Amino acid sequence: MYKYNVSKYQTFFVVGLSYQKADAETRGKFSLGIDQRKSLLDKAESIGLDAITVTSTCNRTEIYAFADDANTLIGLLCEFSIGNQDLFKKVGYVRENEVAISHMFRVGCGLDSQILGDFEIISQIKSAFTISKNRNLINPFLERLVNSAIRASRRIKNETEMSSGVTSVSFASVQYILDHIENVSEKNILLFGTGKIGRNTCENLVKHTSNKHITLINRTKDKAEEVAGKFNLTVKDYSELQAEIRQTDILIVATGAQQPTITKEIIFPKKPLLILDLSIPKNVSEDVVNIDDVTLLHLDYLSQMTDQTLSKRKKFIPDAELIIEEERDEFYEWLDTRKFAPTIKALKDKFKDFQAEELDYQSRKVKGFDKEQAEVFSDRLIHKITRSFASHLRAANGSTEDSVALLKKVFELEMQEKSK
């Protein structure tokens, strides 16, 4: 990537791990909360990285960045998670340059998701991008790539039926309840955790179950009340969790804790209890399955639901891949212009020097000379001329280097060298 003048580092990487090789417990070791991601970015800046964005979801954790060595990025991931490099070598992946670019498109467009066509990932990429941009850790390459992936995702959603049916773990959990629980509208449902997945699950529960017996509990009660207020639901204090579990038929756990929050010691069901753990890391202890009348399902199981909807989505994979190819080609067309961006900048600087000299000369020679108006006119002229040169270089293909050399010679351009 060095030839494209986009970073002082040689290579564009993605390092990460996903559901494809890492189970939920392993993904949990490498998961990064918002504070951990921000600390990672601060450390990245302190060691001189100039473009980096970090995503961490229930299905994957990834770092996209420019660096000279992938080990730098793997080291950052391990430093700010509880994972280690030996474990990463077993389950992680490293992709470079063109392969990393293609990976971003496939992930952002839901083709690499555990549930095919899951479009929640693109909003998580947007969020990660915003955090990095606010820290000035985004360069034009990464910004253009993310925007291209967003555009491809939007087109796939609008132009194909890849987004039909189950599109997220939160909806998959509700779909499971609808398929396996009789008279669901009469059951007591307890939702523990009102983060993003919890909020989405709550919305889907209200929309699809017609249930009036939904209770919300969150460690921070005001957050639960904020969600409950939208749907006129009941909120209970965190201290009432154990008592509420005894009364419920369905417990949905969507907390963000690093250790289990639901353990065998707090469950004394008075009737059959279905527990759905939508958390990464797992927030329900595995030993609760030893309790009579308790059924536990983790999001990995829910994510593997392969119904008619999934089969239907698969039919649209070729259409989605064609859209990705179009957007990726457009990205590469833009990227090719970066190779001669320094030449165009040097050319523009040379013309600005000509402009300043001529404006100064005419100001002294011509009485009543309108310097301000002349500057506006000449600025537009410089813009049109440099744009014409840029268009020529884009179309030059194999002769681009010869054309650049000619421009340097004719206009005696002084190229500013990139600092390493």
Side-chain angles (χ1 to χ4, degrees):
M1 291 293 150
Y2 196 62
K3 64 182 179 181
Y4 292 112
N5 301 289
V6 290
S7 174
K8 63 183 180 180
Y9 293 100
Q10 297 283 356
T11 308
F12 176 61
F13 290 103
V14 54
V15 303
L17 66 156
S18 74
Y19 70 94
Q20 293 183 345
K21 288 184 64 177
D23 60 20
E25 182 179 355
T26 303
R27 298 199 303 276
K29 293 181 184 298
F30 290 94
S31 67
L32 299 167
I34 183 66
D35 291 337
Q36 292 165 292
R37 280 181 276 154
K38 289 180 178 179
S39 296
L40 188 155
L41 292 175
D42 290 341
K43 178 64 177 290
E45 184 178 17
S46 73
I47 63 176
L49 299 188
D50 57 9
I52 178 172
T53 186
V54 185
T55 60
S56 188
T57 73
C58 60
N59 287 331
R60 69 181 66 247
T61 296
E62 294 182 332
I63 299 176
Y64 293 87
F66 279 91
D68 283 336
D69 190 338
N71 288 325
T72 300
L73 306 178
I74 296 171
L76 286 171
L77 174 59
C78 294
E79 179 178 350
F80 292 94
S81 69
I82 60 173
N84 60 68
Q85 298 206 20
D86 289 338
L87 182 56
F88 181 87
K89 289 177 182 178
K90 294 178 181 177
V91 301
Y93 47 79
V94 175
R95 314 203 198 294
E96 301 179 11
N97 297 331
E98 289 80 6
V99 180
I101 290 169
S102 294
H103 183 81
M104 164 72 85
F105 276 104
R106 291 188 64 82
V107 169
C109 293
L111 294 185
D112 198 60
S113 296
Q114 192 163 17
I115 298 179
L116 178 65
D118 185 349
F119 284 97
E120 283 191 10
I121 184 63
I122 198 64
S123 64
Q124 292 157 340
I125 290 174
K126 287 181 189 177
S127 176
F129 170 82
T130 300
I131 293 172
S132 293
K133 190 168 186 178
N134 289 340
R135 283 170 160 70
N136 295 315
L137 287 172
I138 295 292
N139 63 6
F141 173 99
L142 199 48
E143 182 162 19
R144 186 81 176 206
L145 177 59
V146 170
N147 286 333
S148 294
I150 291 171
R151 187 165 55 249
S153 175
R154 186 184 303 118
R155 286 187 58 194
I156 291 170
K157 191 171 185 179
N158 293 335
E159 298 174 26
T160 76
E161 294 184 38
M162 282 281 289
S163 60
S164 62
V166 177
T167 58
S168 67
V169 169
S170 59
F171 186 77
S173 64
V174 176
Q175 187 67 58
Y176 180 88
I177 292 171
L178 292 170
D179 291 343
H180 294 83
I181 303 297
E182 295 182 359
N183 303 317
V184 66
S185 62
E186 302 301 320
K187 300 298 183 180
N188 292 326
I189 300 177
L190 173 60
L191 176 61
F192 178 35
T194 54
K196 183 173 182 179
I197 291 179
R199 293 194 304 271
N200 291 342
T201 303
C202 183
E203 183 175 351
N204 284 317
L205 283 170
V206 172
K207 182 177 179 180
H208 298 288
T209 67
S210 301
N211 190 297
K212 305 296 183 183
H213 314 286
I214 301 174
T215 300
L216 307 185
I217 293 180
N218 196 68
R219 286 182 181 275
T220 307
K221 189 176 181 180
D222 58 352
K223 291 185 178 180
E225 290 174 337
E226 182 181 343
V227 176
K230 298 178 182 179
F231 307 108
N232 193 29
L233 303 177
T234 301
V235 174
K236 293 295 181 72
D237 288 321
Y238 176 64
S239 60
E240 300 177 81
L241 177 62
Q242 184 172 353
E244 288 299 315
I245 291 175
R246 293 200 69 185
Q247 304 299 322
T248 197
D249 300 290
I250 303 169
L251 169 61
I252 301 174
V253 183
T255 56
Q258 295 298 308
Q259 301 294 332
T261 53
I262 303 297
T263 61
K264 186 176 180 180
E265 288 72 25
I266 67 172
I267 298 179
F268 300 94
K270 299 169 62 177
K271 49 189 172 179
L273 173 64
L274 170 64
I275 304 178
L276 304 179
D277 186 0
L278 310 185
S279 311
I280 288 290
K282 293 180 180 179
N283 277 194
V284 179
S285 296
E286 293 286 354
D287 60 3
V288 303
V289 297
N290 298 324
I291 303 175
D292 292 339
D293 291 332
V294 171
T295 301
L296 170 64
L297 295 177
H298 190 257
L299 90 171
D300 277 352
Y301 176 85
L302 298 169
S303 297
Q304 293 168 3
M305 294 170 60
T306 54
D307 54 12
Q308 292 180 348
T309 299
L310 184 57
S311 298
K312 182 179 178 181
R313 288 182 178 191
K314 289 180 179 178
K315 297 177 182 178
F316 295 96
I317 290 177
D319 296 332
E321 290 178 334
L322 182 60
I323 290 172
I324 289 175
E325 183 179 353
E326 292 172 358
E327 295 296 337
R328 190 172 57 229
D329 287 348
E330 188 277 335
F331 172 77
Y332 277 117
E333 288 178 10
W334 170 83
L335 188 58
D336 280 338
T337 68
R338 300 297 302 180
K339 289 189 289 188
F340 52 80
T343 302
I344 295 300
K345 182 180 184 305
L347 186 63
K348 187 174 184 178
D349 290 342
K350 175 66 73 170
F351 289 161
K352 295 292 283 186
D353 290 340
F354 291 160
Q355 177 193 44
E357 292 173 3
E358 191 61 25
L359 289 176
D360 181 65
Y361 174 77
Q362 295 297 336
S363 296
R364 288 184 281 105
K365 184 176 180 180
V366 180
K367 185 177 181 180
F369 178 71
D370 190 339
K371 184 176 181 180
E372 184 175 336
Q373 186 62 34
E375 186 171 6
V376 172
F377 170 78
S378 54
D379 277 342
R380 287 179 58 83
L381 196 60
I382 289 172
H383 175 71
K384 288 185 176 182
I385 293 172
T386 53
R387 190 172 62 184
S388 294
F389 278 117
S391 296
H392 167 75
L393 292 175
R394 278 197 297 270
N397 295 323
S399 61
T400 299
E401 293 182 0
D402 292 339
S403 297
V404 168
L406 181 60
L407 287 175
K408 291 179 181 179
K409 182 177 181 180
V410 171
F411 292 100
E412 299 178 336
L413 301 181
E414 295 182 4
M415 307 295 291
Q416 185 175 11
E417 293 296 327
K418 253 187 328 181
S419 60
K420 180 75 170 75

